[in-house]
Amino acid sequence: MFRTGVDAGKRIFHVIPLPNRCHTVIRKTTLQLLGYQASFLRNNHFCTLQKSGCDNSSYFKMRVFLLLFFVLVSKTLAVPPIDVQEEAVFDTDQVVLDEPAAEEEVVEIEEPTVGANPVQVETDDFEEPEETVEEVVAENPCLNHYCKHGKVCEVDENNMPMCVCQDPSTCPTATGEFEHVCGNDNKTYDSSCHFFATKCTLEGTKKGHKLHLDYIGPCKYIPPCMDNELSEFPFRMRDWLKNVLVTMFERDEENNLLTEKQKLRVKKIFENEKRLSAGDHSIDLLTLDFVKNYNMYIFPVHWQFGQLDQHPVDGYLSHTELAPLRAPLIPMEHCTTRFFTECDTDSDRYIALEEWAACFGIKEQDIDKNLVI
């Protein structure tokens, strides 16, 4: 067997098996050569190969053996190397290293596959970094700027908010008759948006000053309110306000319809056994209940005033602030317009808390601004 290997210097070796016929000849030749001793003189001249009883014939045989040995070796080298995959499978017992490997840490270098870039680089190293751009959104000056109905907020050249009249054509199209409203000019508008936008365009004119939203729904005939009917209206209105609060209290488990202070006050009304349940009651029964349970009606009257007094919160109800209550009531209660008109006892076009309370029969000593939450 002819062998090469990796010694301490990391030389590559291969195990090349020799033909069987060569093994026999080489083994014999080697045994014969071992009978001789090679010696070198100090003057570095090759003298002789000595053997006990050395003569010329022995010397001649030795030369023949040497010649045969080198011929066999040269033929062995001519044998083609085996396939790479076959080289990887061999018996480790056949490998004999000339020198023991030094105790060094051997670093195995993984060869790259064919066609692959030998310099393996993580792809993330060359990806364009994502630039985190903090979107700076300037605060809209109109965000907390209030404009009354019919106007919209716009920003002027100095980035200051201002209210301008809304174009009626920009209002959403009405989807049903219930969205229609009737003005006091006895004209039906597609929606409240269309009405207030139209009113805004008439600002500064006599017609615009007199134009108001009358009620919800298309215009229809509203019969006049008689004196006896007007006197009955506050009784039904008080009872209705009380029942609205009780209903909100029953449904206000998680809806936050009422504040905590309001809940405490309504709870007393709700738990009162003398409370008159909701229903279509006669004026006589409503009158009797108001006399007996007067205290139950004080807070509902104050609460409704506070719900309407919003823009601005100044203790007075304008015609516009009153509209959310008036407009739905007029088709059902034809005395609504006359009632609120006569509540304005000083005819200043505003209803103060004192005027409001007096219209509902609340005594002056029971009027409390602290109840307007």
Side-chain angles (χ1 to χ4, degrees):
M1 174 181 296
F2 179 74
R3 61 178 176 80
T4 60
V6 180
D7 55 15
K10 300 295 185 298
R11 289 192 299 270
I12 300 174
F13 72 87
H14 297 279
V15 178
I16 303 177
L18 300 179
N20 293 333
R21 64 180 182 276
C22 296
H23 280 274
T24 305
V25 177
I26 292 176
R27 187 179 294 108
K28 291 181 180 181
T29 305
T30 303
L31 292 175
Q32 292 176 352
L33 289 176
L34 290 177
Y36 299 90
Q37 298 176 353
S39 64
F40 294 89
L41 299 178
R42 291 182 181 180
N43 57 6
N44 292 329
H45 291 286
F46 179 77
C47 294
T48 60
L49 291 175
Q50 297 177 350
K51 186 182 178 183
S52 301
C54 178
D55 55 12
N56 291 333
S57 61
S58 299
Y59 180 75
F60 177 76
K61 290 180 181 180
M62 181 270 297
R63 295 184 60 185
V64 173
F65 291 151
L66 286 175
L67 179 62
L68 180 59
F69 176 81
F70 288 112
V71 170
L72 291 176
V73 171
S74 62
K75 288 184 178 182
T76 302
L77 292 176
V79 178
I82 62 178
D83 188 68
V84 176
Q85 294 181 352
E86 294 179 355
E87 293 177 9
V89 183
F90 59 91
D91 189 1
T92 54
D93 295 337
Q94 297 177 353
V95 180
V96 179
L97 297 178
D98 294 339
E99 297 177 5
E103 295 183 0
E104 297 179 359
E105 183 179 358
V106 179
V107 180
E108 297 182 359
I109 302 177
E110 183 179 355
E111 296 184 359
T113 57
V114 178
N117 187 348
V119 181
Q120 300 297 327
V121 183
E122 295 291 336
T123 55
D124 292 341
D125 293 345
F126 288 96
E127 288 182 355
E128 290 292 333
E130 294 184 3
E131 204 173 306
T132 304
V133 179
E134 294 185 1
E135 185 178 356
V136 180
V137 180
E139 184 177 355
N140 187 356
C142 289
L143 188 61
N144 297 318
H145 189 75
Y146 171 76
C147 293
K148 66 180 183 179
H149 293 295
K151 292 189 175 184
V152 292
C153 180
E154 292 185 357
V155 180
D156 61 11
E157 297 177 353
N158 298 323
N159 200 36
M160 298 297 294
M162 62 179 182
C163 294
V164 298
C165 290
Q166 182 178 2
D167 186 353
S169 63
T170 62
C171 292
T173 304
T175 59
E177 189 175 295
F178 63 91
E179 293 188 29
H180 296 168
V181 297
C182 181
N184 61 349
D185 58 352
N186 201 33
K187 178 182 177 181
T188 299
Y189 295 84
D190 286 345
S191 65
S192 60
C193 176
H194 289 85
F195 170 80
F196 287 111
T198 302
K199 177 178 172 60
C200 184
T201 59
L202 296 175
E203 276 188 348
T205 66
K206 186 176 180 180
K207 182 180 180 180
H209 181 71
K210 291 184 177 182
L211 182 61
H212 297 290
L213 175 64
D214 200 5
Y215 54 88
I216 303 298
C219 294
K220 65 178 183 178
Y221 173 73
I222 303 294
C225 177
M226 300 293 100
D227 291 344
N228 62 323
E229 293 175 327
L230 180 62
S231 63
E232 295 175 355
F233 180 80
F235 292 94
R236 291 193 297 271
M237 189 68 181
R238 284 191 303 255
D239 186 61
W240 178 73
L241 292 176
K242 180 193 66 177
N243 293 328
V244 167
L245 276 176
V246 171
T247 302
M248 292 176 64
F249 176 78
E250 292 176 330
R251 300 178 180 178
D252 195 27
E253 294 181 358
E254 296 180 358
N255 297 325
N256 296 323
L257 301 176
L258 299 171
T259 64
E260 294 302 321
K261 291 183 178 181
Q262 291 172 342
K263 288 180 182 179
L264 291 176
R265 294 186 178 275
V266 179
K267 184 178 180 181
K268 294 180 180 180
I269 301 174
F270 176 75
E271 294 177 348
N272 194 324
E273 296 179 354
K274 298 180 180 180
R275 175 175 58 88
L276 182 64
S277 60
D280 188 10
H281 305 298
S282 64
I283 296 299
D284 293 337
L285 181 58
L286 293 175
T287 304
L288 180 62
D289 185 67
F290 180 69
V291 173
K292 288 185 175 181
N293 301 306
Y294 167 79
N295 291 331
M296 288 189 188
Y297 295 94
I298 296 176
F299 179 70
V301 171
H302 284 78
W303 169 80
Q304 184 61 78
F305 185 90
Q307 293 297 302
L308 298 173
D309 184 22
Q310 297 292 331
H311 305 293
V313 181
D314 56 359
Y316 295 89
L317 297 181
S318 65
H319 189 279
T320 302
E321 290 176 315
L322 198 58
L325 178 63
R326 288 180 62 260
L329 282 177
I330 291 177
M332 300 180 292
E333 291 281 356
H334 63 282
C335 286
T336 302
T337 301
R338 183 181 173 183
F339 173 77
F340 288 116
T341 300
E342 294 191 6
C343 281
D344 182 17
T345 55
D346 56 4
S347 300
D348 64 349
R349 303 182 65 84
Y350 291 93
I351 300 177
L353 175 61
E354 292 76 14
E355 294 173 323
W356 173 271
C359 279
F360 286 98
I362 304 301
K363 300 173 184 179
E364 183 177 357
Q365 64 268 24
D366 294 324
I367 299 175
D368 186 0
K369 293 183 179 179
N370 295 324
L371 295 180
V372 182
I373 304 175

